[in-house]
Amino acid sequence: MEMYKTKAFAKINITLDVINKRCDGYHDLEMIMQTISLNDEVTVKRNSSGDIRLFSKGVNIPRDNKNLAWRAAEAVKKAYKISDGVDIEIQKKIPVAAGLAGGSSDCAAVIRGMREIFMPNKPISDFYSIASSLGKDVPFCIEGGTVFAFGLGDQFKKLKDIPHFYVAVAKPNIYVSTAEVYKALKIEDIKKHPNTKAVIDCIDAGDKNGIISGVLNVLENVTANKYPVIETIKNLMLKNGALSSAMSGSGPSVFGLFNNREGAEKAVCGVRDILGIKEVFLAETLSPQAFREEF
């Protein structure tokens, strides 16, 4: 194969809990992550120059080793002693630095592409260690679907497919540093933690109401307190029919879950028109099967 083209899907956090702070400064997490249909398009093409060249359409992103997708190609080349180079083209739709794993998903797409072009018979699981070294959620982005992630977020267990939801996603025009959010988080001050086990049980049972009532992200204690627009978006989502609404990752993106497309479209229009936020998207949850069918 000379060229591989795929969609790199965003994720949301149905739950995100911080269990404790480790002695190395990192945090132990428990969270339920879910792939949604909002996506970038990534093309990986073999070249004979030996160089890695990255091109982008849409959002202006780094085109060198500051980009996770570029570093993914470099890491696979080095690990498997690949002499050929690759051209990587990324058409960005997922907002940058948004808590939606856009960079990690592009990185995962490049790893899949490198595998398909250079060593298609090698199990994708062989690339998990490379993926994890680049970003803790990159292995999840390779597989997609619904997972329970724990530890540093790099260990995960596949769950049953979540019942289908339409998803409205809004990214306000603010920048949030993930490192600063975790640094500012005081675990002892968190008043409510998600009942992650109960939500997993509801996913197993296909209980949409139970899932909806369990949606919670403890990092809102930091990000939403600093940026009131996050609560404003959540309230507007709920006012426009969202079954539940929360921040994804460390923010600043906010999502709402809906039973029907019409409600999600109404929320998208409301956030865009009332709050003037440009990066608002209509999406839906994806199962692993649907995830794979897309590429």
Short mmCIF file of all heavy atoms in Angstrom, two decimals, residues 90-139:
data_model
loop_
_atom_site.label_atom_id
_atom_site.label_comp_id
_atom_site.label_asym_id
_atom_site.label_seq_id
_atom_site.Cartn_x
_atom_site.Cartn_y
_atom_site.Cartn_z
N ILE A 90 -3.31 16.63 7.01
CA ILE A 90 -4.37 16.65 8.01
C ILE A 90 -5.35 17.77 7.67
O ILE A 90 -4.97 18.93 7.56
CB ILE A 90 -3.81 16.89 9.43
CG1 ILE A 90 -2.81 15.78 9.79
CG2 ILE A 90 -4.94 16.94 10.46
CD1 ILE A 90 -2.11 15.99 11.13
N GLN A 91 -6.59 17.39 7.47
CA GLN A 91 -7.66 18.37 7.28
C GLN A 91 -8.37 18.52 8.63
O GLN A 91 -9.10 17.63 9.05
CB GLN A 91 -8.63 17.93 6.20
CG GLN A 91 -9.69 18.97 5.89
CD GLN A 91 -10.47 18.66 4.63
OE1 GLN A 91 -10.05 17.89 3.79
NE2 GLN A 91 -11.64 19.25 4.51
N LYS A 92 -8.11 19.62 9.31
CA LYS A 92 -8.60 19.81 10.68
C LYS A 92 -10.06 20.26 10.72
O LYS A 92 -10.44 21.20 10.03
CB LYS A 92 -7.75 20.84 11.41
CG LYS A 92 -6.34 20.41 11.76
CD LYS A 92 -6.31 19.29 12.76
CE LYS A 92 -6.87 19.66 14.11
NZ LYS A 92 -6.85 18.49 15.07
N LYS A 93 -10.81 19.56 11.54
CA LYS A 93 -12.17 19.97 11.90
C LYS A 93 -12.34 20.01 13.41
O LYS A 93 -13.09 20.82 13.93
CB LYS A 93 -13.20 19.02 11.28
CG LYS A 93 -13.19 18.98 9.75
CD LYS A 93 -14.18 17.96 9.24
CE LYS A 93 -14.07 17.78 7.73
NZ LYS A 93 -14.96 16.69 7.24
N ILE A 94 -11.64 19.10 14.11
CA ILE A 94 -11.69 19.08 15.57
C ILE A 94 -10.94 20.30 16.10
O ILE A 94 -9.80 20.54 15.70
CB ILE A 94 -11.05 17.81 16.13
CG1 ILE A 94 -11.71 16.55 15.55
CG2 ILE A 94 -11.13 17.78 17.65
CD1 ILE A 94 -10.99 15.26 15.91
N PRO A 95 -11.54 21.08 16.97
CA PRO A 95 -10.83 22.25 17.52
C PRO A 95 -9.54 21.85 18.22
O PRO A 95 -9.44 20.76 18.81
CB PRO A 95 -11.84 22.84 18.52
CG PRO A 95 -13.17 22.35 18.07
CD PRO A 95 -12.93 20.99 17.48
N VAL A 96 -8.56 22.74 18.16
CA VAL A 96 -7.26 22.50 18.78
C VAL A 96 -7.32 22.86 20.26
O VAL A 96 -7.99 23.82 20.65
CB VAL A 96 -6.18 23.33 18.05
CG1 VAL A 96 -4.84 23.20 18.75
CG2 VAL A 96 -6.06 22.90 16.59
N ALA A 97 -6.59 22.09 21.09
CA ALA A 97 -6.51 22.35 22.53
C ALA A 97 -7.89 22.51 23.14
O ALA A 97 -8.20 23.49 23.81
CB ALA A 97 -5.65 23.58 22.80
N ALA A 98 -8.74 21.49 22.91
CA ALA A 98 -10.15 21.62 23.26
C ALA A 98 -10.64 20.59 24.25
O ALA A 98 -11.80 20.62 24.66
CB ALA A 98 -11.00 21.54 21.98
N GLY A 99 -9.80 19.61 24.63
CA GLY A 99 -10.27 18.53 25.49
C GLY A 99 -10.99 17.45 24.74
O GLY A 99 -11.69 16.63 25.33
N LEU A 100 -10.81 17.41 23.41
CA LEU A 100 -11.50 16.46 22.55
C LEU A 100 -10.56 15.43 21.92
O LEU A 100 -10.98 14.65 21.06
CB LEU A 100 -12.26 17.21 21.45
CG LEU A 100 -13.33 18.19 21.93
CD1 LEU A 100 -13.84 19.04 20.77
CD2 LEU A 100 -14.49 17.46 22.59
N ALA A 101 -9.29 15.44 22.32
CA ALA A 101 -8.29 14.49 21.83
C ALA A 101 -8.02 14.60 20.34
O ALA A 101 -7.65 13.62 19.69
CB ALA A 101 -8.68 13.05 22.19
N GLY A 102 -8.15 15.80 19.78
CA GLY A 102 -7.89 15.98 18.36
C GLY A 102 -6.47 15.63 17.97
O GLY A 102 -6.24 14.90 17.00
N GLY A 103 -5.49 16.14 18.73
CA GLY A 103 -4.10 15.83 18.43
C GLY A 103 -3.79 14.36 18.63
O GLY A 103 -3.07 13.74 17.82
N SER A 104 -4.32 13.76 19.69
CA SER A 104 -4.10 12.34 19.94
C SER A 104 -4.73 11.48 18.86
O SER A 104 -4.18 10.44 18.46
CB SER A 104 -4.67 11.96 21.31
OG SER A 104 -3.97 12.59 22.35
N SER A 105 -5.90 11.88 18.38
CA SER A 105 -6.58 11.12 17.34
C SER A 105 -5.83 11.19 16.02
O SER A 105 -5.72 10.19 15.30
CB SER A 105 -8.01 11.64 17.17
OG SER A 105 -8.76 10.76 16.37
N ASP A 106 -5.29 12.37 15.69
CA ASP A 106 -4.44 12.48 14.49
C ASP A 106 -3.21 11.59 14.62
O ASP A 106 -2.79 10.92 13.68
CB ASP A 106 -4.01 13.93 14.28
CG ASP A 106 -5.16 14.85 13.92
OD1 ASP A 106 -6.23 14.35 13.54
OD2 ASP A 106 -4.99 16.08 14.05
N CYS A 107 -2.63 11.60 15.81
CA CYS A 107 -1.46 10.77 16.10
C CYS A 107 -1.80 9.29 15.90
O CYS A 107 -1.05 8.54 15.25
CB CYS A 107 -1.02 11.02 17.54
SG CYS A 107 0.36 10.04 18.13
N ALA A 108 -2.94 8.86 16.42
CA ALA A 108 -3.38 7.47 16.28
C ALA A 108 -3.62 7.12 14.82
O ALA A 108 -3.28 6.01 14.36
CB ALA A 108 -4.65 7.24 17.09
N ALA A 109 -4.17 8.05 14.07
CA ALA A 109 -4.44 7.81 12.65
C ALA A 109 -3.13 7.60 11.88
O ALA A 109 -3.06 6.75 10.98
CB ALA A 109 -5.22 8.98 12.05
N VAL A 110 -2.10 8.35 12.22
CA VAL A 110 -0.81 8.19 11.56
C VAL A 110 -0.20 6.83 11.91
O VAL A 110 0.37 6.14 11.06
CB VAL A 110 0.15 9.34 11.91
CG1 VAL A 110 1.57 9.04 11.42
CG2 VAL A 110 -0.35 10.65 11.30
N ILE A 111 -0.32 6.42 13.17
CA ILE A 111 0.19 5.10 13.57
C ILE A 111 -0.52 4.01 12.77
O ILE A 111 0.12 3.08 12.25
CB ILE A 111 0.01 4.88 15.08
CG1 ILE A 111 0.97 5.80 15.85
CG2 ILE A 111 0.28 3.42 15.46
CD1 ILE A 111 0.78 5.78 17.35
N ARG A 112 -1.85 4.11 12.66
CA ARG A 112 -2.59 3.13 11.85
C ARG A 112 -2.12 3.16 10.41
O ARG A 112 -1.95 2.12 9.75
CB ARG A 112 -4.09 3.41 11.91
CG ARG A 112 -4.74 3.16 13.26
CD ARG A 112 -6.25 2.97 13.14
NE ARG A 112 -6.89 4.05 12.43
CZ ARG A 112 -7.44 5.13 13.00
NH1 ARG A 112 -7.38 5.27 14.32
NH2 ARG A 112 -8.02 6.05 12.27
N GLY A 113 -1.89 4.38 9.89
CA GLY A 113 -1.44 4.50 8.51
C GLY A 113 -0.06 3.90 8.29
O GLY A 113 0.18 3.22 7.28
N MET A 114 0.86 4.16 9.21
CA MET A 114 2.20 3.59 9.10
C MET A 114 2.14 2.06 9.11
O MET A 114 2.84 1.38 8.35
CB MET A 114 3.08 4.09 10.23
CG MET A 114 3.35 5.59 10.24
SD MET A 114 4.38 6.16 8.89
CE MET A 114 6.00 5.54 9.39
N ARG A 115 1.28 1.53 9.95
CA ARG A 115 1.12 0.07 10.00
C ARG A 115 0.59 -0.45 8.67
O ARG A 115 1.12 -1.43 8.12
CB ARG A 115 0.16 -0.31 11.13
CG ARG A 115 -0.28 -1.77 11.11
CD ARG A 115 -1.33 -2.03 12.17
NE ARG A 115 -1.84 -3.38 12.09
CZ ARG A 115 -2.91 -3.75 11.39
NH1 ARG A 115 -3.59 -2.84 10.71
NH2 ARG A 115 -3.30 -5.01 11.37
N GLU A 116 -0.46 0.16 8.15
CA GLU A 116 -1.08 -0.33 6.92
C GLU A 116 -0.13 -0.25 5.73
O GLU A 116 -0.13 -1.13 4.86
CB GLU A 116 -2.35 0.46 6.62
CG GLU A 116 -3.50 0.19 7.57
CD GLU A 116 -4.01 -1.23 7.46
OE1 GLU A 116 -3.99 -1.80 6.35
OE2 GLU A 116 -4.45 -1.78 8.49
N ILE A 117 0.69 0.80 5.68
CA ILE A 117 1.58 0.98 4.54
C ILE A 117 2.81 0.08 4.62
O ILE A 117 3.21 -0.55 3.63
CB ILE A 117 2.01 2.47 4.44
CG1 ILE A 117 0.81 3.33 4.04
CG2 ILE A 117 3.15 2.65 3.43
CD1 ILE A 117 1.06 4.82 4.13
N PHE A 118 3.40 -0.03 5.81
CA PHE A 118 4.70 -0.68 5.91
C PHE A 118 4.67 -2.09 6.50
O PHE A 118 5.56 -2.90 6.21
CB PHE A 118 5.65 0.18 6.74
CG PHE A 118 5.98 1.50 6.11
CD1 PHE A 118 5.43 2.68 6.57
CD2 PHE A 118 6.84 1.56 5.01
CE1 PHE A 118 5.73 3.90 5.98
CE2 PHE A 118 7.15 2.78 4.41
CZ PHE A 118 6.59 3.95 4.89
N MET A 119 3.67 -2.41 7.33
CA MET A 119 3.66 -3.73 7.98
C MET A 119 2.23 -4.14 8.31
O MET A 119 1.86 -4.30 9.48
CB MET A 119 4.56 -3.73 9.21
CG MET A 119 4.24 -2.65 10.23
SD MET A 119 5.64 -2.19 11.27
CE MET A 119 6.19 -0.73 10.39
N PRO A 120 1.38 -4.32 7.30
CA PRO A 120 -0.05 -4.55 7.53
C PRO A 120 -0.38 -5.83 8.29
O PRO A 120 -1.48 -5.96 8.83
CB PRO A 120 -0.63 -4.60 6.11
CG PRO A 120 0.52 -4.95 5.23
CD PRO A 120 1.71 -4.31 5.86
N ASN A 121 0.55 -6.78 8.35
CA ASN A 121 0.27 -8.03 9.05
C ASN A 121 0.58 -7.98 10.54
O ASN A 121 0.30 -8.93 11.28
CB ASN A 121 1.05 -9.18 8.40
CG ASN A 121 0.60 -9.44 6.97
OD1 ASN A 121 -0.58 -9.35 6.66
ND2 ASN A 121 1.55 -9.74 6.09
N LYS A 122 1.17 -6.89 10.99
CA LYS A 122 1.53 -6.77 12.39
C LYS A 122 0.30 -6.35 13.19
O LYS A 122 -0.41 -5.42 12.80
CB LYS A 122 2.66 -5.76 12.56
CG LYS A 122 3.23 -5.67 13.98
CD LYS A 122 4.46 -4.80 14.03
CE LYS A 122 5.66 -5.50 13.44
NZ LYS A 122 6.07 -6.70 14.23
N PRO A 123 0.01 -7.01 14.32
CA PRO A 123 -1.16 -6.64 15.13
C PRO A 123 -1.08 -5.19 15.59
O PRO A 123 -0.01 -4.71 15.96
CB PRO A 123 -1.09 -7.60 16.32
CG PRO A 123 -0.26 -8.75 15.85
CD PRO A 123 0.74 -8.17 14.88
N ILE A 124 -2.22 -4.51 15.57
CA ILE A 124 -2.22 -3.11 15.97
C ILE A 124 -1.82 -2.96 17.43
O ILE A 124 -1.25 -1.93 17.82
CB ILE A 124 -3.61 -2.48 15.71
CG1 ILE A 124 -3.56 -0.96 15.85
CG2 ILE A 124 -4.67 -3.08 16.63
CD1 ILE A 124 -2.71 -0.25 14.82
N SER A 125 -2.06 -3.99 18.23
CA SER A 125 -1.68 -3.92 19.64
C SER A 125 -0.17 -3.79 19.83
O SER A 125 0.29 -3.29 20.87
CB SER A 125 -2.20 -5.14 20.41
OG SER A 125 -1.70 -6.33 19.82
N ASP A 126 0.62 -4.20 18.84
CA ASP A 126 2.07 -4.05 18.92
C ASP A 126 2.51 -2.60 18.95
O ASP A 126 3.64 -2.29 19.32
CB ASP A 126 2.75 -4.75 17.73
CG ASP A 126 2.76 -6.26 17.85
OD1 ASP A 126 2.19 -6.78 18.83
OD2 ASP A 126 3.32 -6.93 16.95
N PHE A 127 1.60 -1.71 18.56
CA PHE A 127 1.94 -0.29 18.48
C PHE A 127 1.47 0.50 19.71
O PHE A 127 1.68 1.70 19.78
CB PHE A 127 1.32 0.32 17.21
CG PHE A 127 1.87 -0.25 15.94
CD1 PHE A 127 1.34 -1.41 15.40
CD2 PHE A 127 2.93 0.36 15.28
CE1 PHE A 127 1.84 -1.95 14.23
CE2 PHE A 127 3.45 -0.17 14.12
CZ PHE A 127 2.90 -1.34 13.59
N TYR A 128 0.86 -0.20 20.66
CA TYR A 128 0.32 0.50 21.83
C TYR A 128 1.41 1.17 22.67
O TYR A 128 1.20 2.26 23.21
CB TYR A 128 -0.47 -0.45 22.71
CG TYR A 128 -1.86 -0.78 22.22
CD1 TYR A 128 -2.65 -1.70 22.89
CD2 TYR A 128 -2.38 -0.15 21.09
CE1 TYR A 128 -3.93 -2.00 22.44
CE2 TYR A 128 -3.65 -0.45 20.64
CZ TYR A 128 -4.42 -1.37 21.32
OH TYR A 128 -5.69 -1.66 20.87
N SER A 129 2.58 0.53 22.78
CA SER A 129 3.63 1.14 23.60
C SER A 129 4.13 2.43 22.97
O SER A 129 4.39 3.41 23.67
CB SER A 129 4.79 0.15 23.80
OG SER A 129 5.36 -0.21 22.56
N ILE A 130 4.25 2.45 21.65
CA ILE A 130 4.61 3.68 20.95
C ILE A 130 3.52 4.72 21.16
O ILE A 130 3.80 5.89 21.47
CB ILE A 130 4.84 3.43 19.44
CG1 ILE A 130 6.08 2.57 19.22
CG2 ILE A 130 4.96 4.76 18.68
CD1 ILE A 130 6.29 2.17 17.77
N ALA A 131 2.28 4.29 21.00
CA ALA A 131 1.15 5.21 21.14
C ALA A 131 1.13 5.84 22.53
O ALA A 131 0.98 7.06 22.67
CB ALA A 131 -0.15 4.46 20.87
N SER A 132 1.30 5.01 23.56
CA SER A 132 1.25 5.51 24.93
C SER A 132 2.39 6.47 25.23
O SER A 132 2.22 7.42 26.01
CB SER A 132 1.28 4.33 25.91
OG SER A 132 1.20 4.78 27.23
N SER A 133 3.55 6.25 24.61
CA SER A 133 4.69 7.14 24.84
C SER A 133 4.45 8.53 24.26
O SER A 133 5.07 9.50 24.68
CB SER A 133 5.96 6.54 24.23
OG SER A 133 5.93 6.60 22.81
N LEU A 134 3.53 8.63 23.31
CA LEU A 134 3.24 9.90 22.66
C LEU A 134 2.09 10.65 23.35
O LEU A 134 2.04 11.88 23.33
CB LEU A 134 2.89 9.67 21.19
CG LEU A 134 4.06 9.14 20.33
CD1 LEU A 134 3.54 8.56 19.02
CD2 LEU A 134 5.07 10.24 20.06
N GLY A 135 1.19 9.91 23.96
CA GLY A 135 0.06 10.52 24.66
C GLY A 135 -0.76 9.44 25.32
O GLY A 135 -0.99 8.39 24.73
N LYS A 136 -1.19 9.68 26.56
CA LYS A 136 -1.84 8.62 27.33
C LYS A 136 -3.15 8.15 26.72
O LYS A 136 -3.57 7.02 26.95
CB LYS A 136 -2.05 9.08 28.77
CG LYS A 136 -0.76 9.41 29.51
CD LYS A 136 0.24 8.28 29.46
CE LYS A 136 1.52 8.62 30.20
NZ LYS A 136 2.56 7.57 30.05
N ASP A 137 -3.82 9.01 25.95
CA ASP A 137 -5.08 8.59 25.35
C ASP A 137 -4.95 8.15 23.90
O ASP A 137 -5.94 7.83 23.25
CB ASP A 137 -6.15 9.68 25.47
CG ASP A 137 -5.70 11.02 24.89
OD1 ASP A 137 -4.55 11.11 24.41
OD2 ASP A 137 -6.50 11.97 24.92
N VAL A 138 -3.71 8.09 23.37
CA VAL A 138 -3.52 7.67 21.98
C VAL A 138 -3.93 6.22 21.75
O VAL A 138 -4.57 5.91 20.74
CB VAL A 138 -2.08 7.95 21.50
CG1 VAL A 138 -1.87 7.46 20.06
CG2 VAL A 138 -1.77 9.44 21.58
N PRO A 139 -3.59 5.26 22.67
CA PRO A 139 -4.07 3.89 22.46
C PRO A 139 -5.59 3.81 22.35
O PRO A 139 -6.13 3.07 21.51
CB PRO A 139 -3.56 3.14 23.69
CG PRO A 139 -2.34 3.89 24.11
CD PRO A 139 -2.68 5.33 23.84
#
